[in-house]
């Protein structure tokens, strides 16, 4: 498996990268960690004429706290997410999820930006970003814009990202202290995409759930924000009945395709099991 | 005379002979990245070959246009069937008496089939050119199910066999039929079944899998046009047989062909066959006059070279009410893919499947096997087992469990009741094999005691009650398997490949200073032959293993042998090594007697020397004798100390073992966790316990993969849906449990050192243990059999069918 | 397509080579630099046979383009022993504990284990299994590999203690 030829560019700034994309149009592709794109190139399912490598853009490789937000540069790797003390304290679901992505070698290379921007429904971070109400900062020739994770995904490998644009930052609103969280993923083995997975973030006061978000991975051509499932939990004591209702509502929107992980009915079932387990674990963690 | 102060124990230890946990001599190079695998070979001017392959399962080739490919800089040639036809090389003979297209001739019959061979200066330009070869196809309906392939109106797959009503193994009853193979007593079996108090029937599929060694197949062919010598380095599990085949196909005299197997990165049966890549590389080297390398990528490996299994077995087992088995019948529909390229001894188109009476004393049995063509890759290799033995063992070990359910008996108890008893060995089975030795009751009892089997069954009872009360969603399963293998092919009277008797060989030269080199006809692919064969020899000739070099794999230097597969190295080449060692020792005894001025009969062997009976202080060490062999031999004796043995074993060997597997099945997710796996192996005399343990660990892990997730999944169009290691299940260290190993020792009575072979046992016994455990988890809910692989969704579907699932 | 002038530091040695940007790092190492220790097993970044250490991270060199590696510092199995030839504790330990059979996965496995122990000098069995889950082995069933890595951790700890 050998990739087709291309011209290689390693810009030193986002501006330079954008200029390269503008010059080379649809023949150009951005590469971050490369672990989605390079295998596609080796299979010749992707054949960019120009490869714009973002590895030198230190500005995109940072994790910081801003007023009201956690900001993570797109080039931050999963390995760095796992090691970040700031995230461990403020947004631990990112560590939990990162540890379920691929394998150690891939996590050293794989970036958060690549994971959320590439539009692969098998990627795990998009559902997490949906429950976190994250937004993506996008730079383009015409300036910058922000798109909410919940509005970003359009179809398999189709997102709100347009030709010539680069996703530069992930912005996560600060989570309530004492929130509960969980990412539950069923897979056949380390390195596999999810048969189905669920992300849950919720808060609880005085025994009652005050806020809850649920999202699903790899059970449709995009990640799915299960708004109804989350809403069904709010105001309840997160009792069995409420959880069962949330599970049903989440399963209702799942549209998995049959594949080696199982037929559609099984994957929908597993989505439900993952949602239930994620809610239960998140509830156990909520202060 | 040498003053000797060493104790016998110290001298024995120094030898590192039989039974010691000798560290491997191979490891120094592998741990430093200095292995020499085929893709490491780089020769001056070497070109690189790459295939254009069929994207379709079944299609007619309308045209092939090479023009654009030939324009790619660095491209030297693009070969198609049209180029090979004048050389009569567009088809090659298979090991099973069929032919296989080297490059597709008018039709493609499986996805990934070789259509054109691009030869270029490097692999990058070759890949670019492969992309540019334009092949126009007309798609044809594909057959991926052997039952459908045998339907009256099924499309005819093999144009080249049109009208042929018989093949290498007798009559063909349908245009997609290959052979019928039958053995046993049909009438007696029929009678046993008809008169039985209880008959259990089951349809058991052993799905198509792939050996998938970490290194794919490949070769470097180098034709020296000046002196007419062809050298081929490659991933060959049987280098000598490859030389013979290469000579027969190419017409190059055999003495001008040299085949070298360098280090091999795992074989497991994948590297037994002869593949189009080898032939095309040789042709390309002959045409271009420079060396040509071909290395498969992983997708090609999974799509095109050497699948295993794909046996669809219908079984009936008869018994008395109290559990005495009285008869066994089995019919197999064997999916061989597009060409019959199974690697089996000539007389055994279904391998040794007739070992399927297993470890049990079954008075009547009858087996028929129908081989069928489909639009899948050819192969049918013995993947980490002797020929079709894992299929046979899986069949009988499932059937016994199915019968146990029907009789409402404990499966371990039913096994005990029907075992061939110790005093019955040598035992001739109803299907004609003579089992050499065994003590099955002792082995099973030891295993059951080690795991506290009664305790496990009570725990399971409590688990089922708790499940019924809704306190747990996990079901505990206990799988017992007791396998008997038939390995070490084999006696020439039974076994040949392409007419070559399946003996094996060892040639030993003892050097004047008392070190030695041994060369064998086998080839290690990770088994550690360089370590273990030196141990056999150390004990036989009293030279420390560390002073013995073992060499294999170069047909110019090694004696002829049939190679390494089917656990035959220790039973056959290991025997040859011992026998050659004994020839050395016999000559050494005569030299020692001469030096000590006594009669030969006055000497006795003592670890590393001959000593005078009754006068142990008078001796000659092997090192002393070796030196004398080169300057002071008895009058009339030839100098030197060398021997060669070509060993034709009198019988196969029959390793056996008792395995117990405990699983916990989560009915909500279908995930099966292996809680415990205990493996007791009896491989006869144990050469190196460390290596045996390693072999068992590895074989169990491959069995885990097969039972729990592996399958080559084809869609209706003949597309292989999981041709990458993302989807083809190979477990990582996380999915692999810790293994417990144990042993009993029942030596083979006919093998010179009593060894039986072990590398494949854990795969053979492991698959049924896992599968029995998963089936057992659902036994109380009425399940008798569910097909492998027991991956998440299939297990969940089983639970659903048994009404054990709940809403998420 | 134009070639690029690739600069690398490999096993403590500065090297330069002319290559196409698309050349895979594994091919640069194996075919241009003669470092045939790392192997290609799966082509799709699942098996880890091609693992090398790049800028202090374990990477699968079959999924890294030469161009991406330009300027990198690399360590391969060939650079694991000390300059005086003393083998690394992992190399010794894999032999002592029978942590290899065919040897094909071994260079990647040891190189990966090296980085694992750099980051976690005292791993549990579960941490070792998780830490090498990007490396497939078809021969050993991992059990003796895990044992070998754990034993190497002990050796390295005692060497460190002795030095302190």
């Amino acid at each position: 498996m050998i990739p087709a030829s291309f011209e290689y560019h390693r810009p030193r700034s986002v501006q330079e990268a954008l200029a390269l994309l503008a010059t080379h149009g649809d023949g150009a592709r951005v590469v971050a960690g490369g672990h989605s794109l390079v295998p596609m190139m080796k299979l010749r399912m992707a054949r960019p004429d120009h490869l714009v490598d973002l590895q030198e853009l230190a500005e995109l490789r940072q994790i910081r706290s801003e007023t009201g937000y956690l900001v993570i540069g797109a080039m931050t790797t999963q390995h760095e997410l796992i090691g970040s003390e700031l995230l461990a304290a403020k947004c631990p679901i990112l560590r939990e999820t990162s540890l379920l992505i691929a394998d150690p070698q891939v996590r050293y290379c794989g970036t958060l930006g690549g994971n959320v921007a590439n539009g692969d429904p098998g990627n795990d971070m998009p559902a997490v970003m949906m429950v976190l109400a994250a937004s993506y900062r996008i730079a383009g020739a015409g300036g910058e814009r922000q798109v909410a994770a919940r509005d970003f995904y359009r179809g398999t490998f189709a997102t709100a990202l347009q030709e010539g644009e680069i996703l530069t930052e992930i912005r996560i609103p600060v989570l309530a202290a004492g929130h509960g969280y969980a990412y539950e993923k069923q897979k056949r083995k380390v390195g596999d995409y999810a048969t189905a997975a669920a992300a849950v973030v919720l808060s609880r006061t005085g025994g009652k759930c005050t806020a809850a978000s649920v999202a699903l991975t790899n059970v449709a051509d995009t990640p799915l924000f299960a708004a109804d499932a989350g809403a069904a939990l709010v105001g309840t004591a997160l009792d069995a009945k409420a959880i069962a209702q949330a599970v049903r509502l989440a399963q209702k929107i799942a549209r998995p395709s049959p594949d080696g992980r199982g037929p559609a009915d099984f994957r929908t079932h597993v989505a439900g099991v993952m949602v239930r387990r994620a809610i239960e674990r998140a509830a156990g963690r909520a202060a | 005379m040498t003053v000797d102060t060493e104790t016998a124990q110290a001298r024995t230890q120094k030898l590192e002979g039989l039974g010691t946990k000798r560290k491997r001599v191979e490891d120094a190079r592998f741990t430093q990245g200095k292995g020499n695998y085929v893709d490491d070979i780089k020769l001056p001017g070497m070109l690189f070959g790459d295939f254009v392959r069929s994207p379709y399962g079944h299609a007619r080739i309308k045209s092939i246009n090479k023009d654009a490919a030939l324009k790619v800089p660095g491209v030297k040639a693009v070969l198609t069937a049209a180029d090979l036809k004048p050389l009569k090389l567009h088809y090659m003979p298979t090991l099973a008496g069929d032919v296989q297209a080297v490059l597709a001739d008018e039709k493609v019959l499986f996805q990934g089939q070789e259509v054109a061979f691009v030869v270029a200066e490097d692999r990058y330009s070759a890949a670019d050119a492969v992309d540019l070869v334009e092949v126009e196809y007309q798609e044809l309906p594909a057959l991926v199910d052997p039952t459908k392939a045998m339907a009256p109106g099924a499309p005819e797959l093999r144009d080249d066999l049109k009208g042929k009503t018989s093949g290498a193994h007798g009559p063909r009853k349908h245009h997609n039929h290959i052979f019928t193979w039958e053995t046993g007593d049909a009438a007696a079996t029929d009678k046993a079944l008809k008169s039985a108090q209880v008959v259990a029937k089951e349809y058991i599929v052993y799905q198509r899998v792939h050996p998938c060694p970490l290194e794919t197949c490949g070769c470097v062919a180098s034709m020296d046009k000046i002196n007419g010598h062809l050298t081929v380095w490659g991933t060959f599990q049987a280098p000598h047989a490859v030389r013979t085949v290469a000579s027969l196909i190419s017409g190059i005299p055999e003495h001008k062909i040299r085949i070298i197997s360098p280090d091999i990165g795992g074989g497991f049966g994948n590297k037994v066959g002869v593949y189009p890549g080898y032939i095309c590389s040789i042709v390309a080297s002959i045409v271009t006059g420079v060396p040509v390398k071909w290395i498969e990528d992983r997708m090609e490996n999974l799509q095109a070279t050497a699948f295993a299994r794909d046996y669809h077995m219908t079984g009936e087992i008869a018994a008395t009410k109290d559990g005495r088995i009285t008869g066994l019948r089995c019919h197999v529909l064997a999916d061989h893919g597009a060409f019959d390229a199974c690697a089996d001894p000539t007389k055994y188109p279904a391998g040794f499947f007739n070992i399927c009476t297993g470890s049990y004393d079954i008075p009547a049995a009858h087996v028929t096997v129908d081989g069928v063509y489909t639009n899948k890759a050819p192969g049918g290799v013995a993947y980490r087992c002797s020929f079709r033995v894992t299929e046979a063992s899986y069949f009988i070990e499932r059937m016994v469990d199915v019968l146990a359910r029907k009789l409402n008996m404990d499966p371990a108890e039913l096994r005990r009741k029907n075992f061939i008893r110790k005093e019955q060995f040598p035992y001739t089975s109803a299907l004609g094999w003579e089992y050499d030795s065994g003590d099955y009751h002792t082995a099973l009892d030891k295993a059951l005691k080690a795991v506290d089997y009664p305790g496990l069954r009570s725990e399971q009872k409590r688990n089922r009650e708790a499940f019924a009360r809704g306190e747990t969603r996990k079901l505990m399963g206990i799988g017992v398997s007791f396998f008997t293998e038939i390995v070490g092919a084999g006696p020439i009277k039974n076994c040949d490949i392409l007419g070559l008797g399946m003996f094996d060989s060892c040639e030993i030269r003892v050097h004047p200073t008392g070190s030695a080199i041994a060369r064998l006809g086998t080839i290690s692919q990770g088994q550690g032959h360089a370590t273990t064969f030196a141990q056999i020899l150390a004990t036989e000739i009293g030279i420390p293993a560390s002073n013995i070099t073992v060499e294999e794999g170069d047909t110019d230097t090694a004696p002829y042998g049939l190679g390494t597969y089917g656990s035959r190295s220790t039973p056959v080449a290991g025997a040859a090594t011992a026998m050659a060692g004994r020839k050395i020792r016999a000559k050494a005894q005569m030299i020692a007697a001469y030096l000590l001025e006594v009669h030969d009969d006055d000497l006795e062997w003592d670890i590393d020397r001959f000593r005078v009976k009754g006068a142990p202080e008078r001796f000659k060490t092997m090192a002393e004798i070796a030196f004398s062999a080169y300057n002071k031999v008895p009058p009339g004796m030839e100098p030197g100390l060398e021997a060669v043995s070509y060993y034709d074993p009198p019988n196969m060997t029959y390793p056996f073992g008792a395995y117990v597997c405990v699983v916990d099945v989560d009915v909500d997710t279908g995930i099966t966790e292996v809680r415990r796996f205990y493996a007791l192996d009896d491989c006869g005399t144990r050469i190196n316990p460390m290596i045996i343990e390693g072999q068992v660990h590895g074989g169990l892990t491959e069995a885990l993969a097969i039972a729990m997730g592996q399958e080559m999944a084809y869609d209706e169009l003949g597309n292989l849906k999981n041709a990458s290691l993302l989807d083809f299940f190979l477990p990582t260290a996380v999915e692999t449990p810790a293994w417990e190993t144990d042993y009993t020792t029942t030596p083979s009575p006919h093998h010179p050192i009593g060894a039986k072979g072990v590398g494949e046992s854990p795969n053979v016994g492991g698959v049924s243990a896992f599968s029995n455990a998963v089936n057992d988890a659902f036994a109380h809910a009425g399940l008798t059999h569910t097909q492998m692989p027991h991956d998440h969704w299939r297990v969940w579907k089983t639970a659903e069918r048994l009404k054990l699932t709940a809403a998420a | 397509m134009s070639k690029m002038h690739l600069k690398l530091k490999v096993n403590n040695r500065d090297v330069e080579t002319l290559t196409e940007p698309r050349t895979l790092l594994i091919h640069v190492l194996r075919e241009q630099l003669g470092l045939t220790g790392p192997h290609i097993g799966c082509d799709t970044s699942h098996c880890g046979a091609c693992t090398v250490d790049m800028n202090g991270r374990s990477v699968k060199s079959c999924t890294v383009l030469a161009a991406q590696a330009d300027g990198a510092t690399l360590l391969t199995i060939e650079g694991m022993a000390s300059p005086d030839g003393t083998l690394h504790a992992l190399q010794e330990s894999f032999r002592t504990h029978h942590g290899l059979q065919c040897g094909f996965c071994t260079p990647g496995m040891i190189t990966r284990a090296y980085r694992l122990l750099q980051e976690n000098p005292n791993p549990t069995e579960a941490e070792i299994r998780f830490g090498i889950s990007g490396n497939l082995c078809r021969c050993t069933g991992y059990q003796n590999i895990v044992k070998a890595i754990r034993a190497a951790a002990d050796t390295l700890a005692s060497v460190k203690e002795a030095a302190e």
Side-chain angles (χ1 to χ4, degrees), chain A residues 1-5 43-44 47 186-193 195 247 251 259-263 265-266 268-274 276-277, chain B residues 123-124 127-128 131 297-299 666-671 723 725-732 734-735 791-793 796-797 800 805-808:
Chain A
M1 291 181 199
I2 308 284
S5 295
L43 290 164
R44 302 204 172 196
R47 340 178 43 135
Q186 180 164 338
K187 54 185 174 175
R188 296 170 297 183
K189 54 173 277 191
V190 168
D192 194 14
Y193 295 110
T195 302
V247 165
Q251 283 181 313
D259 68 7
R261 295 165 190 86
D265 62 340
F266 172 67
T268 301
H269 168 79
V270 172
V273 175
M274 295 300 106
R276 175 165 55 75
R277 291 182 179 181
Chain B
R123 59 184 100 209
Y124 284 72
D128 289 345
D131 235 19
D297 67 30
R298 178 58 59 189
M299 188 183 278
D666 182 334
V667 295
D668 288 335
T669 57
I671 295 175
L725 296 195
L726 169 63
D727 287 309
F728 186 73
F729 182 66
L730 302 183
T732 74
V734 169
E735 292 80 38
D791 49 6
H792 302 173
W793 73 267
W796 180 77
K797 282 281 179 189
E800 189 186 43
T805 48

Side-chain angles (χ1 to χ4, degrees), chain B residues 417-592:
Chain B
K417 197 162 198 161
N418 289 283
F419 275 157
I420 302 161
R421 295 184 315 279
K422 189 179 171 182
E423 63 274 14
Q424 287 177 281
F425 291 94
Y427 167 87
T428 303
S429 73
L431 294 175
W433 294 115
E434 188 188 300
Y435 292 38
D436 60 348
S437 65
D439 182 355
Y440 298 168
H441 288 93
T442 301
L444 183 63
D445 290 349
K446 188 175 182 184
L448 296 181
K449 189 156 178 254
V451 299
D452 182 19
Y453 186 70
L456 287 173
R457 286 291 176 200
S458 345
E459 188 188 345
Q460 185 183 44
K461 188 162 172 282
R462 291 194 299 277
N463 160 260
R464 285 170 176 174
E465 288 159 4
F467 186 91
R469 289 193 301 270
E471 291 164 14
T472 178
R473 297 294 293 153
K474 285 187 181 177
L475 287 171
M476 178 178 170
I478 305 162
V480 176
S481 81
F482 197 100
F483 66 92
T484 296
E485 265 216 288
I486 170 170
V487 307
I492 294 174
K493 63 180 188 230
N494 292 331
C495 298
D496 71 272
I497 284 184
L498 297 174
L500 302 165
M502 295 182 71
F503 60 85
D504 227 289
S505 59
C506 177
E507 178 197 285
I508 302 165
R509 296 180 190 174
V510 180
H511 309 314
T513 52
S515 63
I517 182 164
R519 294 189 168 111
L520 292 89
T522 43
I523 176 70
S524 184
Q525 308 125 42
Q527 296 90 336
H529 290 176
T531 305
T532 52
F533 287 136
Q535 289 181 259
I536 295 176
L537 209 46
T539 297
E540 291 292 340
I541 64 173
I543 290 176
S546 56
N547 290 349
I548 301 170
T549 297
V550 174
E551 253 188 33
E552 302 174 303
D554 182 340
T555 58
D556 263 12
T557 56
Y560 205 100
L562 269 285
T564 295
Y565 43 86
S567 277
R568 62 185 302 282
S569 296
T570 295
V572 191
T577 304
M579 297 310 270
R582 286 171 196 184
K583 290 183 187 176
I584 297 273
R585 208 162 84 186
K587 183 170 181 181
Q589 185 166 2
M590 288 188 267
I591 297 170

Side-chain angles (χ1 to χ4, degrees), chain C residues 4-56:
Chain C
M4 64 184 289
H5 197 82
L6 188 71
K7 288 188 182 181
L8 301 167
K9 185 169 207 154
V10 183
N11 298 334
N12 249 335
R13 203 162 51 91
D14 289 314
V15 295
E16 296 185 20
T17 178
L18 202 61
T19 188
E20 280 189 87
R22 65 166 168 164
T23 308
L24 300 167
L25 178 58
I26 184 74
H27 288 143
V28 174
L29 294 170
R30 289 179 50 82
E31 297 186 358
Q32 298 185 27
L33 305 180
L35 298 168
T36 54
H39 299 127
I40 297 177
C42 73
D43 303 281
T44 53
S45 86
H46 293 99
C47 82
C50 62
T51 299
V52 301
D53 205 68
M54 180 164 104
N55 300 328

